[in-house]
Amino acid sequence: MAITLYNTATRSKEEFVPQDGKTAKIYCCGPTVYHYAHIGNLRTYIFEDLLRRSLAYHGFDAKHVVNITDVGHLTSDADEGEDKMEKGAKRTGKSVWEVAAFYTDAFMRDFHSLNLLEPTVWCRATDHIAEQIALVKTLEEKGYTYRTSDGIYYDSSKFERYGDFARLDLENLWAGSRISMGEKRLPTDFALWKFSPKDVKRQMEWDSPWGVGFPGWHIECSAMAMKHLGETLDIHCGGTDHVRVHHTNEIAQSEAATGKTFSRFWMHGEFLRLDGDKMSKSTGEFLTVDSLVKRGFSPMDYRYFALGSHYRNYLSFSFESLESARKSRLALRKRTTPLVAKALAAGAKIESEAALKWKERFAQAVGDDLNVPAALGLLHSAVRDDAVSEEERGALVLDFDRVLGLKLDLEEEAAPAAAEDSEAAEIDSLVAERAAAKKAKDFARADEIRNALAKRGIELKDGPQGTTWERKR
Ligand code: AMP
Ligand code: ZN
């Protein structure tokens, strides 16, 4: 049975088969580790996990690469503003390397708590500076770059297909752009290598043929994807926000360098919204897995909640809907746990006609561009089907859970003990940021942090030894 996937490049569903017929080469844009991942980011990683599990269900292996952006992601797409990592260091009073290590660890904890399959390769941008420089050199040799006083830029006018992927109306975009461009020739040009400012010593900087500095953000994904997966990937994933700029730029620079298609399929997860707004790391007010655990939810409740909506649809988050997901998941477990026990005791297999029919319908659903909400519905129905023996129903539960990843084969875990500590670490870091803001006379930001914490029931007390905090709940 075939699996079809929606390909952003062609705006249509296409049958997917890996280039070598067996192992899908998948690259997923990973986190920028200057802050915690919010549950919106994690929705995208859940979608990518479902992709991998669905491919496995349809008989394909995967070489799955995820990057960690620990340098060079500027706060604005216009290649201006601060490096997000250096900004994170200022906020927390730690070194950039400490910030990266701290939030990478936090990300890994979240990743595993949601039962996401381990990628084949995790790769850090700072471990691949040489590969990024080599790629910029190739682009320079092929005439795709120019130099300004602050860096080496990609000349998007040289790549004819630049606007095709995101269906950009370039003439209008160039004419109507209000982005301040500095010395850039076109708004769509972007930095490949930025020079360190002359008067500032950056914590992360490297030598290059063009001068001391650091890589632009987009180049890391092209360089690492091609290093680990070759010049043509099978599937490249990310959130929908990446279509217009980041993935457009990845295609422009990779295809200009190699002359080959960079990725055969492009898949994008739609956003999680909070009260109609998009959730954002930069505003500081966002929900993390730990903040859900703090309110008594299991990370599996969030996974179940995310499974209830197709990855190409917006999903609105509210605690009421998370609560219904929790109830529905626990009711499901109540039904499946005895069935699974029977299946395991009997070594049951899926062999009756009725059970095979359920399996076929399930494979069809996940094979239809990952229709996981339908697949989840089938699980709910299959476990009630008296025409199938209890042992065999248990075997179906175990089989379907290879895709759903709800840990239906295990006993329900107690909430992770580390949650409390991790929230405390986050509060400590906000308190440190507030102290730094006050020192810099940025009282608006200092008040903003105090108010945001107050809303969460955290009271701050300023004293001669510094600031302490306590929970008022
Ligand atoms: P970042 O750490 O900001 O680079 O984002 C990591 C991943 O999360 C990227 O694939 C983004 O496209 C995705 N993302 C960011 N915000 C959201 C959101 N609200 N909902 C779903 N995915 C998101
Ligand atoms: Zn990327």
Side-chain angles (χ1 to χ4, degrees):
M1 188 188 298
I3 180 162
T4 61
L5 302 173
Y6 183 85
N7 187 352
T8 307
T10 58
R11 304 291 195 276
S12 60
K13 283 195 211 173
E14 294 172 42
E15 182 178 342
F16 175 78
V17 179
Q19 289 166 86
D20 69 358
K22 191 172 177 300
T23 306
K25 298 179 187 179
I26 308 176
Y27 184 88
C28 300
C29 291
T32 310
V33 284
Y34 71 107
H35 218 314
Y36 292 101
H38 56 60
I39 57 173
N41 300 129
L42 292 163
R43 180 188 184 203
T44 293
Y45 300 107
I46 292 175
F47 138 61
E48 292 158 354
D49 180 65
L50 292 171
L51 167 65
R52 223 181 117 180
R53 289 170 178 272
S54 302
L55 290 175
Y57 199 79
H58 279 262
F60 299 126
D61 293 337
K63 181 161 183 195
H64 176 202
V65 179
V66 183
N67 69 302
I68 305 278
T69 300
D70 54 357
V71 65
H73 190 158
L74 301 175
T75 48
S76 108
D77 275 342
D79 292 315
E80 289 172 354
E82 278 175 280
D83 175 321
K84 286 187 175 172
M85 295 300 303
E86 304 255 341
K87 194 173 168 205
K90 265 192 215 152
R91 179 170 55 80
T92 54
K94 295 182 188 153
S95 82
V96 179
W97 297 97
E98 282 167 344
V99 169
F102 179 85
Y103 290 114
T104 303
D105 284 353
F107 180 74
M108 296 293 171
R109 272 202 306 278
D110 289 343
F111 197 91
H112 295 130
S113 77
L114 291 165
N115 199 25
L116 307 182
L117 295 180
E118 195 69 29
T120 325
V121 178
W122 288 107
C123 50
R124 265 194 298 262
T126 50
D127 289 337
H128 295 77
I129 300 295
E131 287 83 353
Q132 296 177 69
I133 291 177
L135 187 53
V136 178
K137 249 192 123 17
T138 305
L139 290 169
E140 184 178 47
E141 282 157 17
K142 296 198 169 187
Y144 284 96
T145 66
Y146 61 89
R147 186 185 184 113
T148 72
S149 63
D150 69 8
I152 304 296
Y153 282 80
Y154 184 91
D155 184 348
S156 57
S157 72
K158 295 267 165 63
F159 188 69
E160 264 188 34
R161 290 177 280 114
Y162 184 85
D164 291 0
F165 179 67
R167 312 284 201 268
L168 301 176
D169 176 354
L170 289 176
E171 298 296 331
N172 255 329
L173 202 139
W174 291 337
S177 173
R178 267 179 246 143
I179 311 172
S180 76
M181 288 216 291
E183 297 164 51
K184 276 197 324 194
R185 296 179 189 161
L186 282 173
T188 45
D189 294 351
F190 55 93
L192 296 165
W193 186 264
K194 290 276 276 186
F195 303 135
S196 296
K198 294 215 167 48
D199 44 345
V200 186
K201 173 91 187 116
R202 280 176 52 93
Q203 295 187 39
M204 280 185 177
E205 57 184 13
W206 294 265
D207 250 339
S208 83
W210 312 281
V212 175
F214 60 103
W217 169 41
H218 314 293
I219 197 76
E220 71 172 76
C221 286
S222 292
M224 292 192 278
M226 291 201 273
K227 169 174 177 175
H228 294 288
L229 297 169
E231 291 178 340
T232 299
L233 323 175
D234 284 307
I235 310 177
H236 193 314
C237 302
T240 44
D241 57 326
H242 284 345
V243 176
R244 282 179 71 85
V245 179
H246 183 49
H247 289 166
T248 288
N249 291 349
E250 280 192 43
I251 291 170
Q253 63 202 1
S254 311
E255 299 193 356
T258 67
K260 296 184 184 149
T261 300
F262 178 44
S263 183
R264 299 168 56 231
F265 281 70
W266 287 83
M267 294 181 70
H268 293 96
E270 193 43 271
F271 265 40
L272 179 82
R273 288 176 163 175
L274 185 64
D275 300 332
D277 278 338
K278 70 173 206 174
M279 205 172 288
S280 154
K281 276 191 195 180
S282 49
T283 61
E285 282 204 73
F286 56 80
L287 291 167
T288 58
V289 168
D290 275 345
S291 65
L292 305 186
V293 169
K294 189 84 217 344
R295 294 191 189 211
F297 292 100
S298 151
M300 282 296 110
D301 295 329
Y302 182 63
R303 183 177 174 104
Y304 187 94
F305 168 74
L307 260 47
S309 146
H310 189 258
Y311 77 92
R312 284 199 290 127
N313 291 337
Y314 279 115
L315 174 58
S316 282
F317 180 85
S318 68
F319 279 101
E320 292 77 56
S321 21
L322 186 62
E323 179 58 30
S324 347
R326 190 179 77 89
K327 287 201 179 112
S328 168
R329 185 179 75 84
L330 294 179
L332 177 69
R333 285 191 65 92
K334 211 166 162 194
R335 208 171 261 278
T336 57
T337 305
L339 300 177
V340 165
K342 285 189 180 163
L344 291 175
K349 292 207 174 68
I350 303 165
E351 46 200 2
S352 72
E353 204 177 310
L356 284 167
K357 187 80 200 140
W358 282 113
K359 185 170 161 64
E360 190 189 325
R361 289 175 69 190
F362 185 87
Q364 238 157 20
V366 299
D368 178 14
D369 190 31
L370 321 183
N371 193 347
V372 175
L376 186 58
L378 287 169
L379 171 62
H380 277 276
S381 308
V383 293
R384 289 164 195 269
D385 183 1
D386 293 338
V388 180
S389 75
E390 292 197 317
E391 288 76 10
E392 232 184 335
R393 273 186 265 162
L396 282 171
V397 171
L398 292 171
D399 184 66
F400 293 2
D401 204 37
R402 285 163 48 210
V403 175
L404 304 173
L406 291 168
K407 298 191 188 171
L408 297 174
D409 57 333
L410 299 174
E411 288 204 6
E412 180 76 5
E413 287 167 24
E420 183 89 10
D421 291 343
S422 159
E423 199 205 15
E426 186 207 345
I427 296 167
D428 285 343
S429 109
L430 284 168
V431 169
E433 182 187 350
R434 176 171 166 268
K438 274 171 64 177
K439 215 164 143 198
K441 304 218 179 321
D442 182 356
F443 298 112
R445 177 68 188 142
D447 286 347
E448 190 180 50
I449 293 171
R450 174 190 279 279
N451 294 338
L453 287 172
K455 268 198 220 158
R456 291 164 58 176
I458 312 289
E459 193 177 83
L460 303 185
K461 284 207 175 77
D462 293 319
Q465 307 296 325
T467 304
T468 54
W469 59 266
E470 60 183 285
R471 286 195 178 88
K472 290 276 168 202
R473 256 176 296 173

